[in-house]
Amino acid sequence: MENLKDQIKLLVELQGLDTHIFRLDDELESIPAAINKKEEEFKEKNTNLKKLEDELKALVVKRKEKEGDLATKEGAIRKFQQQQNLVKTNKEYSALRDEIERAKADNSIIEEDILKIFDEIDAENKSIAKEKDFLKAEEAKFGEEKKRLAAEEGRLKGELEGVKKQREDLAAKVDKNILKKYERIVKNKDGLAVVALKGDACQGCFRVLPPQVANEVKMNEEIIFCEYCARILYSEE
Ligand SMILES: [Zn+2]
């Protein structure tokens, strides 16, 4: 074929454009996954706040329990004091006095516990406020990242459109039968149909071909396929 050399040249160019298109497709496909990953990471960061809020709830419950205990004891003290007014003997009186003393001592321990819980609640609230600030910043970062990825997606789509147009124009120049063969190989061979022969090695499968193949490729009389991977060979010279 007189113009086979030109046809092969066109195929090499076409392969370059297709490789570019595949790469852009891959990059475009990776963007939603990248956004999902960022979102998962952000959600993961929210679990610490949930933990802190649960801790706070538990502390409030504990405080209410202690306050209940305190009220019960105070009720008991009042009851003892009323009984004190009714007793007849000193012995009964001092027994009640001892009960009152004990209950008061218990109550001061409970009061201390309650104060301690108040401190813990304060600290927990501070941690929660800090965590919320952190998450707000993280959310802003996540938003920025999403915006950046959306911009990147737009840029890639624009680039893809341009390359596809170039590809269309170029494909129109290729002989129909040769184009059909090329496209079949592209489909079956992971997007790589046209490969150079370097020395005697096919640059598609990297196997060494018999020495006469290099001559056949250089002659450009017919399309030469790699006998191992069936790709179209061309000479870089
Ligand atoms: Zn090969």
Side-chain angles (χ1 to χ4, degrees), residues 129-231:
K130 219 168 122 191
E131 192 65 19
K132 280 183 176 166
D133 283 347
F134 166 74
L135 286 174
K136 220 166 138 189
E138 285 299 307
E139 193 174 14
K141 258 195 250 169
F142 174 49
E144 283 300 310
E145 191 67 7
K146 259 205 293 200
K147 235 190 273 168
R148 191 187 66 74
L149 286 166
E152 176 70 0
E153 190 173 33
R155 190 190 66 72
L156 289 169
K157 276 182 178 164
E159 190 177 341
L160 183 61
E161 211 176 295
V163 181
K164 275 186 172 166
K165 178 79 187 68
Q166 256 178 289
R167 199 246 183 229
E168 205 179 291
D169 295 345
L170 188 67
K173 293 181 197 159
V174 180
D175 174 272
K176 293 270 173 301
N177 285 325
I178 294 177
L179 186 64
K180 230 185 256 172
K181 280 192 186 111
Y182 166 85
E183 280 174 346
R184 197 177 51 234
I185 305 171
V186 159
K187 214 173 134 203
N188 295 327
K189 294 285 169 182
D190 290 328
L192 188 61
V194 183
V195 293
L197 189 67
K198 255 190 195 154
D200 286 327
C202 163
Q203 295 303 294
C205 65
F206 300 101
R207 294 176 79 162
V208 174
L209 299 166
Q212 75 268 22
V213 174
N215 291 326
E216 287 167 5
V217 169
K218 270 180 217 151
M219 281 192 295
N220 284 310
E221 280 174 357
E222 56 179 333
I223 295 180
I224 308 297
F225 300 92
C226 169
E227 61 184 78
Y228 298 110
C229 69
R231 291 187 174 98

